[in-house]
Amino acid sequence: MTEYTPISADISPKNAVVDDARSTILSAAFGPEPPSYETERRLLSWSKSIAPNTLRAILSDLRIVEAFQSARHQPTLPVSPLDLYSLIEQRAHEGYSKSSIDRLIASMVTLHATLELPSPADDNLRWKQREIRRRDSRPREQARGLRIKGDVEDIEKDAPLPLSLLSLLESIPDDPAGLRDRAMISAGYDAGLRRSELVRVRLEHIHRLPQGEASLFIPRSKTDQEGEGATAWLSSRTLQHIDAWVEKADIEDGYLFRPLSYRVSGTGHLAEGSVSSILKERLRSHLEGLADEGEFDRSQIGGIIKATSAHSLRIGVDQDMIAAGVDIGAIMHGLRWSSPKQPLSYARHLVPATSKLAAKMRGIT
């Protein structure tokens, strides 16, 4: 894909992600030929209106189409319904999931509509999409939830299991990296933070409450792209971990979770991708230590680490709330969900046991 050179300096975007997206998309659609001024303005307005991660996903899908079309000596855009049909059929045969294929189609439909190109989706394509969905019976993969006490029967009374948030926090050493990681993991669980929210927590966003807890202001999130802001709860446990890290790192304001070396990140906070890496390594070290003492099955560690990601903290607190019988409306509000579908999906194995039906039947049986 050749790089597109901006034709008008007065509308050049400020954001590097937007700039890259605009150049890539215009090159894919028009090659070396400049588009109309209105088309460029339209693309710029659209690319600045959506979340950066959404834009990155669309660019990723565009590169898939580019590779497919290039192998067939066809231009990347516009892609015809027949070509897109052939592409999704090929990817289905190669074992790609129905969700990735759905996203690919949605990305192409969005790009074509934005550039005012003919739609790449017709009835035949949609029928093929439905066929792929029906054939692909694999359950949707999701990260493993890291629950506060593990998979206990009674979340209030039972002691923490070896594979739990509390046991993990206790195992982390008190060196500078450990103090930071313990505070970050604990805060991520309490507030159900997405990784983009977690790395951007600032010290001035934490407002202490009389009972030793705190509220955390979240300026922007995945479901709040307009920046209205939201608040979340932090426990006294998390505040103690944060205080220990702040004192050690001598932080007075600004981002709370910072790299230990200036070479790691130029943004002032940890990179989003580092959250998963840190959590995986801390959990691996904890479980291997338990395995060395004969308290954990070593053969399970690899699978557990593979299924763990930054989202495990958000999934874990969601599952614990469901297990504790918290109303789904309160969970949606507290964890900033826009729909009940996802939080219920994450805890689908727990929902039946917490239902009113189960409570009633326990008294009968």
Side-chain angles (χ1 to χ4, degrees):
M1 229 180 255
T2 57
E3 184 178 355
Y4 175 77
T5 303
I7 62 174
S8 180
D10 64 317
I11 60 168
S12 59
K14 299 178 181 178
N15 187 288
V17 176
V18 172
D19 186 38
D20 176 61
R22 186 173 69 97
S23 298
T24 302
I25 293 168
L26 288 175
S27 295
F30 302 103
E33 298 297 323
S36 68
Y37 182 77
E38 183 56 38
T39 296
E40 187 172 0
R41 284 186 60 85
R42 181 180 173 86
L43 179 61
L44 179 59
S45 297
W46 166 78
S47 59
K48 293 176 73 173
S49 72
I50 63 177
N53 285 341
T54 301
L55 199 53
R56 292 188 186 97
I58 291 175
L59 288 180
S60 176
D61 291 332
L62 179 60
R63 294 185 183 100
I64 293 171
V65 173
E66 179 201 13
F68 178 77
Q69 293 290 75
S70 177
R72 303 163 76 250
H73 306 290
Q74 297 291 327
T76 304
L77 296 179
V79 58
S80 70
L82 180 60
D83 287 341
L84 191 54
Y85 181 105
S86 299
L87 174 57
I88 67 170
E89 185 175 46
Q90 174 182 305
R91 291 183 73 79
H93 285 309
E94 291 173 351
Y96 288 93
S97 68
K98 56 190 173 185
S99 60
S100 70
I101 291 173
D102 285 346
R103 196 190 79 175
L104 175 62
I105 294 172
S107 294
M108 290 306 102
V109 169
T110 297
L111 279 182
H112 282 67
T114 302
L115 296 171
E116 298 183 304
L117 298 173
S119 175
D122 61 7
D123 287 343
N124 282 329
L125 180 84
R126 293 302 186 187
W127 292 332
K128 170 56 72 172
Q129 184 180 14
R130 291 175 189 172
E131 176 193 339
I132 292 170
R133 288 173 179 167
R134 190 179 67 253
R135 285 205 318 252
D136 188 354
S137 58
R138 292 173 295 181
R140 184 175 179 179
E141 293 185 2
Q142 68 177 41
R144 179 189 182 97
L146 183 58
R147 299 180 58 187
I148 192 164
K149 292 185 176 180
D151 293 326
V152 295
E153 183 176 344
D154 190 322
I155 192 173
E156 296 182 5
K157 297 178 181 179
D158 292 350
L161 298 176
L163 180 53
S164 65
L165 178 88
L166 292 179
S167 296
L168 170 62
L169 294 177
E170 187 176 347
S171 74
I172 298 175
D174 290 332
D175 57 20
L179 293 174
R180 180 200 63 190
D181 296 350
R182 186 188 292 120
M184 182 180 70
I185 292 169
S186 188
Y189 170 87
D190 278 358
L193 297 173
R194 301 175 177 90
R195 63 179 190 171
S196 60
E197 301 164 349
L198 183 53
V199 298
R200 291 174 175 82
V201 170
R202 300 177 68 92
L203 188 59
E204 54 267 32
H205 291 164
I206 298 173
H207 304 281
R208 296 175 183 266
L209 303 174
Q211 57 269 49
E213 302 166 351
S215 66
L216 172 67
F217 177 65
I218 305 169
R220 187 182 296 272
S221 67
K222 179 180 178 180
T223 54
D224 177 31
Q225 290 301 312
E226 296 182 3
E228 294 183 3
T231 56
W233 174 78
L234 295 178
S235 66
S236 57
R237 176 198 70 249
T238 293
L239 276 188
Q240 291 173 6
H241 297 325
I242 288 175
D243 287 343
W245 162 238
V246 166
E247 181 179 358
K248 184 68 175 180
D250 195 25
I251 297 174
E252 296 182 355
D253 57 23
Y255 292 117
L256 189 57
F257 304 121
R258 308 174 179 187
L260 300 178
S261 168
Y262 69 90
R263 293 185 296 273
V264 177
S265 171
T267 60
H269 58 71
L270 287 171
E272 292 182 17
S274 65
V275 178
S276 287
S277 299
I278 289 171
L279 181 58
K280 283 174 178 284
E281 286 308 309
R282 291 299 182 185
L283 187 57
R284 182 189 300 278
S285 177
H286 169 54
L287 296 180
E288 287 181 348
L290 292 174
D292 290 342
E293 298 174 4
E295 298 179 6
F296 199 83
D297 184 354
R298 193 178 299 275
S299 66
Q300 296 183 24
I301 295 178
I304 291 171
I305 300 305
K306 182 179 179 181
T308 299
S309 75
H311 216 53
S312 295
L313 301 174
R314 183 169 171 82
I315 293 173
V317 70
D318 172 75
Q319 292 174 341
D320 282 337
M321 287 183 177
I322 292 287
V326 179
D327 178 75
I328 186 60
I331 295 175
M332 289 174 59
H333 177 75
L335 300 183
R336 304 164 305 287
W337 294 106
S338 57
S339 163
K341 181 179 179 180
Q342 202 61 55
L344 288 174
S345 173
Y346 286 147
R348 57 181 174 267
H349 63 295
L350 299 170
V351 169
T354 61
S355 66
K356 292 182 178 179
L357 173 62
K360 184 68 174 178
M361 293 305 292
R362 285 191 192 100
I364 298 174
T365 59

